[in-house]
């Protein structure tokens, strides 16, 4: 056993033995405190190997919408594991993948009817970008290969998706110069801004493959919100100039903002939508790129070369599709969207006192997302540690302290999270 600096408690032997072999995400391995050993999960709780329980305020990077270990998902995945854990989707199709494609087509708005599976959010965005570029190539337009993306946007960590992230605010500043160059613009905040975007989209019409945005909430770029009217305005400009619109609903999809998909609040249907994270209820890795009929039709041809040239090895993994089908069952039969309304009300009231705390510049909530924005982040390691001491799992980043709890979280658990956020922000301000 060794002492875990992060927790002040003992780390199990399996962690001590493996520590130098496991390369962790976004982590300076030389100086980082050892991570917390998670031994089990249940509902909205993570149980550490020393028996302590943390209420999860971020649902494992926004995935565990039904909480952990939901019996229905577990049963369906176990049954699928017995029957058929995996076969390639090339030339073979499994019932869970076929059924999930059909259900996603029915669930997503408009004629978003054609579902291409992959295994991570970043890859689904890459596929959406390739779809857009090839949509134009298949119509003889080779020049349309750049993307219009937005400041504070985040779409993934692969090279293609990095190019459509905010180059300064995102996590990819280091790679400047090594990435494809795209058109970066501000999210329009006024009529004047919309006019500017209008002119931009007209001027660059023949170079643009698509406009890509996270609808209503730019998540990893700092939980920045924009109202549905802004999204509707961007969609209207895309229509006006004949540009494709890709909505990345990887974070916002499956109820997080109060509707099943964020774009429904703006009454718009993108040409291409990407989904992942809560797609499997947070159980397995799975993503989907969903295209409208006119996109799909542009790939139909006697020419083999017009087909979409992409095919991840584990695409449509039956275990992951079984988990996703079970997750959709739960959305159909349990009151998840009502739960989001309840969580939103709680977050709005409980976090409001933070507005008075020195060093807090904004407090905002939307659906099951609550954000405290600080004038400047400091003492982030101390903040993380204080949350653990209070039995909650929260990971401040950039200049925000935020929560995106499982949608099944109980009132008592949510109170524990919001109490910790308010108390810790006060302590932080007084330091
Ligand atoms: C909006 C959005 N797009 C894409 C991604 C990348 O997904 P993944 O981490 O599964 O590659 C994320 C991840 O946080 C995201 O929030």
């Amino acid at each position: 056993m060794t002492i875990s600096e992060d927790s002040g408690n003992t780390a199990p032997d399996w962690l001590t033995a493996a520590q130098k072999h496991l390369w962790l995400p976004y982590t300076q391995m030389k100086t980082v405190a050892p991570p917390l050993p998670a031994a089990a999960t249940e509902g909205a709780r993570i149980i550490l190997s020393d028996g302590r329980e943390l209420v999860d305020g971020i649902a494992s990077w926004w995935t565990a919408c039904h909480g952990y270990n939901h019996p229905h998902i577990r049963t369906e995945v176990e049954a699928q594991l017995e029957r058929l854990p995996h076969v390639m989707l090339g030339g073979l199709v499994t019932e869970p993948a076929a059924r999930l494609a059909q259900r996603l087509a029915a669930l997503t708005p408009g004629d978003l009817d054609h579902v291409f599976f992959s295994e991570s959010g970043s890859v689904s965005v890459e596929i959406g970008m390739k779809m857009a570029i090839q949509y134009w190539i298949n119509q003889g337009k080779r020049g349309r290969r750049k993307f219009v993306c937005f400041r504070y946007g985040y779409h993934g960590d692969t090279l293609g998706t990095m190019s459509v992230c905010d180059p300064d605010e995102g996590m990819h500043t280091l790679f400047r110069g090594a990435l494809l160059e795209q058109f970066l613009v501000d999210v329009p905040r006024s009529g004047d801004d919309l006019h500017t975007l209008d002119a931009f989209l007209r001027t660059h019409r023949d170079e643009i493959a698509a406009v890509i945005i996270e609808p209503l909430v730019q998540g990893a770029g700092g939980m920045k919100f924009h109202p549905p009217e802004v999204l509707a305005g961007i969609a209207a400009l895309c229509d006006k100039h004949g540009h494709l619109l890709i909505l990345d609903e990887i974070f916002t999809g499956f109820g997080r903002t109060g509707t099943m998909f964020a774009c429904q609040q703006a009454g718009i249907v993108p040409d291409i939508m990407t989904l992942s994270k809560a797609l499997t209820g947070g159980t397995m890795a799975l993503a989907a790129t969903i295209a409208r009929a006119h996109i799909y039709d542009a790939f139909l041809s006697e020419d083999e070369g017009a087909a979409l040239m992409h095919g991840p090895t584990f695409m449509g993994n039956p275990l992951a599709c079984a988990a996703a089908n079970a997750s959709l069952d739960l959305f159909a039969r349990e009151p998840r969207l009502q739960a989001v309304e309840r969580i939103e009300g709680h977050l709005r009231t409980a976090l409001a006192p933070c507005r008075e705390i020195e060093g807090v510049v904004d407090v905002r909530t939307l659906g099951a997302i609550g954000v405290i924005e600080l004038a400047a982040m400091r003492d982030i390691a101390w903040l993380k540690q204080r949350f653990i001491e209070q039995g909650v799992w929260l990971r401040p980043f950039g200049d925000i302290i935020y929560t995106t709890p499982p949608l099944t979280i109980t009132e008592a658990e949510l109170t524990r999270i919001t109490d910790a956020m308010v108390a810790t922000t006060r302590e932080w301000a007084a330091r």
Side-chain angles (χ1 to χ4, degrees):
M1 295 262 195
T2 55
I3 300 295
S4 160
E5 288 167 41
D6 198 19
S7 62
N9 277 53
T10 51
D13 291 339
W14 57 258
L15 178 57
T16 312
Q19 206 138 285
K20 70 169 186 270
H21 302 294
L22 193 55
W23 199 338
L24 299 171
Y26 313 119
T27 299
Q28 175 46 259
M29 298 303 295
K30 182 165 180 180
T31 53
V32 68
L36 295 183
T41 48
E42 193 56 50
R45 290 165 190 250
I46 300 168
I47 297 125
L48 303 181
S49 62
D50 61 9
R52 281 178 303 156
E53 286 190 15
L54 301 178
V55 178
D56 189 350
I58 49 179
S60 279
W61 277 331
W62 327 328
T63 61
C65 53
H66 311 291
Y68 297 103
N69 308 30
H70 195 289
H72 180 58
I73 299 182
R74 206 167 54 202
T75 304
E76 292 298 309
V77 173
E78 278 169 5
Q80 188 59 43
L81 184 63
E82 282 291 317
R83 261 194 313 272
L84 190 171
H86 184 71
V87 291
M88 60 197 274
L89 201 61
L92 295 168
V93 177
T94 62
E95 189 269 346
R99 199 152 61 89
L100 181 59
Q102 197 178 4
R103 292 178 81 179
L104 288 174
L107 190 67
T108 48
D111 61 343
L112 280 163
D113 283 345
H114 305 280
V115 180
F116 195 97
F117 288 117
S118 54
E119 70 295 64
S120 81
S122 301
V123 173
S124 72
V125 174
E126 295 272 351
I127 292 165
M129 292 170 71
K130 280 174 72 173
M131 265 180 198
I133 292 172
Q134 197 177 338
Y135 169 87
W136 295 113
I137 291 174
N138 284 359
Q139 296 173 66
K141 294 179 182 156
R142 298 204 141 261
R144 299 189 69 153
R145 31 172 211 245
K146 287 179 84 163
F147 291 84
V148 177
C149 53
F150 292 85
R151 197 167 302 284
Y152 299 112
Y154 176 80
H155 300 283
D157 288 352
T158 54
L159 283 168
T161 58
M162 282 162 71
S163 75
V164 288
C165 294
D166 184 313
D168 302 314
E169 298 297 326
M171 299 173 243
H172 309 314
T173 321
L174 213 59
F175 291 86
R176 199 190 292 271
L179 303 176
L180 293 169
E181 279 190 24
Q182 313 290 8
F183 294 123
L184 177 74
V185 299
D186 289 318
V187 173
R189 295 280 163 195
S190 63
D192 276 356
D193 289 352
L194 270 174
H195 282 126
T196 309
L197 184 60
D198 186 1
F200 189 90
L201 293 178
R202 184 183 315 109
T203 308
H204 295 282
R205 190 191 330 244
D206 297 335
E207 299 158 77
I208 293 171
V211 174
I212 179 166
I213 188 165
E214 300 155 82
L216 304 192
V217 186
Q218 295 175 296
M223 298 287 168
K224 308 275 186 207
F225 300 170
H226 53 263
E229 304 79 64
V230 163
L231 186 60
I234 294 170
L237 290 180
C238 287
D239 266 0
K240 177 176 169 187
H241 296 294
H243 291 307
L244 301 182
L245 177 63
I246 303 176
L247 290 188
D248 178 348
E249 293 247 16
I250 287 167
F251 169 44
T252 54
F254 301 104
R256 183 56 62 186
T257 67
T259 42
M260 199 60 176
F261 302 103
C263 64
Q264 290 167 319
Q265 292 179 43
I268 60 161
V269 182
D271 300 283
I272 297 169
M273 177 191 277
T274 56
L275 295 174
S276 187
K277 292 203 182 278
L279 173 58
T280 63
T283 315
M284 319 264 307
L286 184 69
T289 310
I290 310 182
R292 291 179 64 179
H294 60 280
I295 303 290
Y296 181 74
D297 290 349
F299 289 78
L300 303 180
S301 166
E302 298 303 319
D303 174 9
E304 290 287 328
L308 180 61
M309 286 300 166
H310 206 99
T313 303
F314 279 98
M315 74 181 286
N317 172 254
L319 292 173
C321 290
N325 278 312
S327 173
L328 294 189
D329 295 341
L330 294 176
F331 274 108
R333 70 163 91 126
E334 294 187 0
R336 287 292 175 273
L337 296 184
Q338 289 93 313
V340 176
E341 230 178 286
R342 169 183 65 84
I343 293 170
E344 179 169 25
H346 179 117
L347 293 175
R348 192 178 306 124
T349 311
L351 297 181
C354 292
R355 291 212 169 82
E356 311 306 323
I357 300 174
E358 203 183 322
V360 171
V361 291
D362 191 30
V363 176
R364 51 185 179 270
T365 53
L366 179 68
I369 307 169
V371 184
I372 302 167
E373 184 175 326
L374 309 172
M377 178 59 81
R378 58 177 165 76
D379 300 335
I380 191 162
W382 175 86
L383 275 171
K384 288 177 183 171
Q385 178 60 23
R386 278 299 291 137
F387 287 130
I388 293 166
E389 285 162 9
Q390 292 166 85
V392 298
W393 184 238
L394 291 167
R395 303 279 287 173
F397 72 90
D399 54 9
I400 61 168
I401 298 169
Y402 79 100
T403 182
T404 50
L407 309 183
T408 50
I409 194 162
T410 64
E411 241 355 68
E413 288 167 333
L414 192 54
T415 302
R416 186 134 156 218
I417 287 172
T418 48
D419 280 358
M421 288 173 79
V422 176
T424 309
T425 307
R426 281 211 178 97
E427 279 180 50
W428 172 87
R431 268 166 73 86

